[in-house]
Amino acid sequence: MRLVALEEEAEAAGLKCGQGLAEARAICPNLIVIEEDTSADRRFLEALGDWCDRYTPLVGLEGADGLFLDITGCAHLFGGEEAMLKDILTRLNQMGMAVRGAISASPGLSSAIARFDGDRIVGDDEREAVLSPLPVAALRLDDSTVQALHKVGLKRIGDLMEAPRAPLARRFGTRLLLRLDQARGEDEEAICPRRPVAQLSAERRLMEPVVAEDDILALTAQVAHALQPGLEARGAGGRVFELVLFRVDGKVFHLSAGTARPLRDPNRIARLFAERLKAVGDELDAGFGFEILRLNVLHHEAFDSLQSDFAGNDRQQGSLADFVNQVSARLGPECLRVHQLRESHVPERAVVPLPALDHATSRKPLPDAAPLAHRWALRERPLRLFEHPEPLETFAVEIPDGPPMRFRWRRLTHTVLRAEGPERIAAEWWVDGETAPTRDYFRLESEEGQRFWVYRQGLFDQLASPRWFMHGIFA
């Protein structure tokens, strides 16, 4: 067991990271040791990243104990870069955390300063002067590369700046030069945000925290009004909304809700989250209240503004979309499904169930409806199709291509009164392989009036005893 992190008093006592626990106890007998929990540390860092969303939506993780915040265009909202950095560090210190931060034009330089220098803001004209005295470990290099640099006398970043680049690349690899260029701002480094960046966003910072659900919904409607002009300017409506609630103690809650059709009406958006809050229930612990409420549009689509006719057809479609929205917000997006046709002649692959939220309700006019002959052909398929065909035991089968006279299914024997078929469906050789057997489907009616859809797998000239399966039931 080795030490992975130390507080300031332990460092003052002469302990070092990587030191064996037995040796550390010999130096400091009163040492208090807590076992490392990497998953808990990761969750804590993720929660800290959620808290930092109040400053910028672009928050990325930096190693196991750091965060990158892209504050481009955000600093003026907090009184400038200096006031913003002071506010972040002060708030986190009041929460009981020891943190360090820096602001510069490149993520690599900010990381180096925060970890090996102090809390400060670095301008573009002082990058070289600030970087030069820092150790090479500030470039976020692995331990083996740092030790190799120390062996040849390269201990400071300034030593690397003065050395020729070609020999450095040959001996230590191109990653060393990449990290050096990123710290100097000569090579751009993208920050990968932890969460999807909202296409539109509006928020309300409160003088007094709110706790009641009615107050949260009223504020949601007000913030949705602020989003409406932006959606109208884009000619779009939101399909996926996210409500972010910042609790006063730093806890952040994310609630998302989708819609069946593009939506921009503030009151309908608020009703969406009314259902979502009911579904969350006691999991949303307001504690001492929420101080910031933000509404994000994570995905939007073109908003099709149609005037309703005298028959009220548009109102009917709107009510259906509202029903899908409210039920999905309460019970989850998977509770309602629609079937989408696929290009396959195998019955179980011809349609696939998808969440109703992913497909807006159809508004085809009457002349575009399917022809009568096509609708009649669809009726030849059973209303209930089994996900997995169930085996049958057949008796008195007409050979070679006839239906069974009797069959046993689910412990019951049925006598066939009428039969139609066969309808031959070949296998998809590009999916099932060239040796997959052919299916012969039959529509059977029993003496009791029940109608079944069964098939024989394989032909008599191919197999000695083809197998029979029940695939569906007619109404």
Side-chain angles (χ1 to χ4, degrees):
M1 299 182 67
R2 295 186 177 275
L3 304 182
V4 295
L6 299 169
E7 62 177 2
E8 294 180 355
E9 295 182 4
E11 291 179 347
L15 304 183
K16 299 180 180 179
C17 288
Q19 193 173 31
L21 179 59
E23 181 182 356
R25 288 191 183 279
I27 298 175
C28 184
N30 298 327
L31 181 65
I32 300 176
V33 179
I34 300 175
E35 187 175 355
E36 182 188 22
D37 189 344
T38 55
S39 59
D41 292 341
R42 184 74 174 189
R43 291 194 300 269
F44 177 78
L45 189 62
E46 291 279 356
L48 194 59
D50 289 340
W51 181 85
C52 289
D53 283 344
R54 65 183 62 209
Y55 297 102
T56 172
L58 294 174
V59 180
L61 301 180
E62 201 268 317
D65 56 355
L67 294 171
F68 277 140
L69 278 67
D70 188 345
I71 61 172
T72 305
C74 302
H76 70 280
L77 300 175
F78 301 90
E81 293 180 350
E82 183 176 356
M84 184 179 188
L85 179 61
K86 181 179 179 181
D87 184 68
I88 295 175
L89 299 180
T90 301
R91 285 175 176 266
L92 293 177
N93 286 330
Q94 290 174 349
M95 294 181 188
M97 286 174 274
V99 294
R100 303 174 74 175
I103 296 179
S104 72
S106 63
L109 178 58
S110 297
S111 175
I113 297 171
R115 295 180 180 277
F116 293 89
D117 191 354
D119 306 328
R120 59 184 300 181
I121 300 174
V122 179
D124 294 342
D125 56 343
E126 50 182 347
R127 293 180 185 174
E128 304 287 341
V130 172
L131 269 177
S132 295
L134 298 182
V136 292
L139 295 178
R140 296 172 292 168
L141 303 172
D142 56 89
D143 293 338
S144 59
T145 303
V146 173
Q147 294 176 3
L149 290 170
H150 287 175
K151 289 181 180 179
V152 297
L154 300 175
K155 298 182 179 181
R156 302 291 175 184
I157 297 179
D159 300 335
L160 297 178
M161 295 179 181
E162 298 173 357
R165 295 173 63 90
L168 288 176
R170 285 196 301 268
R171 183 162 185 176
F172 303 103
T174 57
R175 184 173 179 80
L176 171 63
L177 299 182
L178 174 64
R179 289 301 194 190
L180 179 60
D181 292 340
Q182 288 175 345
R184 299 172 68 178
E186 298 175 359
D187 196 327
E188 292 187 2
E189 181 180 0
I191 295 177
C192 182
R194 303 167 40 256
R195 291 184 165 273
V197 180
Q199 298 174 342
L200 277 173
S201 181
E203 72 177 23
R204 179 67 59 86
R205 295 176 179 267
L206 308 175
M207 296 296 294
E208 293 291 336
V210 296
V211 177
E213 182 177 317
D214 293 340
D215 295 337
I216 295 174
L217 294 177
L219 288 170
T220 301
Q222 295 178 15
V223 177
H225 275 284
L227 283 178
Q228 191 172 11
L231 291 171
E232 292 176 350
R234 290 169 169 80
R239 284 294 306 274
V240 181
F241 296 90
E242 182 185 42
L243 180 64
V244 187
L245 302 172
F246 295 83
R247 206 165 64 182
V248 293
D249 62 350
K251 179 71 174 178
V252 182
F253 294 90
H254 295 266
L255 304 176
S256 60
T259 64
R261 297 170 58 184
L263 187 63
R264 65 168 67 147
D265 182 23
N267 295 326
R268 294 172 65 184
I269 295 174
R271 287 199 299 269
L272 267 181
F273 286 101
E275 299 296 334
R276 192 73 185 91
L277 290 175
K278 292 178 182 177
V280 173
D282 295 336
E283 295 181 9
L284 184 66
D285 183 11
F288 291 102
F290 301 107
E291 60 179 349
I292 300 177
L293 185 145
R294 179 183 298 163
L295 186 61
N296 296 327
V297 180
L298 299 183
H299 177 64
H300 63 65
E301 293 180 357
F303 188 84
D304 201 6
S305 299
L306 294 180
Q307 182 178 359
S308 60
D309 55 20
F310 292 107
N313 291 327
D314 185 69
R315 290 194 297 271
Q316 294 175 4
Q317 295 292 345
S319 63
L320 176 59
D322 287 341
F323 170 76
V324 173
N325 296 343
Q326 292 177 8
V327 174
S328 299
R330 173 74 71 88
L331 303 178
E334 300 293 332
C335 66
L336 294 178
R337 291 175 173 267
V338 296
H339 289 84
Q340 186 181 49
L341 294 176
R342 293 295 176 89
E343 295 184 357
S344 176
H345 58 268
V346 178
E348 61 265 26
R349 298 174 186 161
V351 294
V352 58
L354 297 173
L357 281 177
D358 295 342
H359 298 271
T361 54
S362 175
R363 293 179 294 185
K364 287 186 178 180
L366 186 59
D368 294 341
L372 179 61
H374 178 63
R375 296 202 301 269
W376 180 259
L378 292 178
R379 293 179 183 177
E380 297 180 359
R381 292 289 187 263
L383 291 179
R384 181 183 179 188
L385 194 69
F386 297 145
E387 184 177 0
H388 302 286
E390 300 180 5
L392 296 178
E393 184 181 358
T394 59
F395 310 97
V397 179
E398 294 183 11
I399 298 177
D401 297 327
M405 297 295 101
R406 288 186 304 135
F407 63 89
R408 182 186 296 274
W409 175 57
R410 294 184 176 179
R411 300 182 181 180
L412 295 178
T413 301
H414 300 270
T415 301
V416 178
L417 184 63
R418 296 181 181 87
E420 294 178 351
E423 177 189 356
R424 184 157 295 177
I425 297 180
E428 295 176 341
W429 57 266
W430 57 93
V431 177
D432 304 314
E434 297 182 359
T435 59
T438 302
R439 298 180 183 180
D440 277 353
Y441 278 87
F442 295 88
R443 292 184 292 276
L444 306 180
E445 183 177 340
S446 68
E447 292 180 342
E448 293 79 12
Q450 296 174 301
R451 300 189 65 199
F452 307 97
W453 202 43
V454 304
Y455 71 86
R456 181 184 64 241
Q457 187 174 31
L459 306 177
F460 280 99
D461 57 354
Q462 297 175 350
L463 301 173
S465 57
R467 301 176 61 191
W468 288 82
F469 293 89
M470 176 72 67
H471 204 167
I473 300 176
F474 293 90

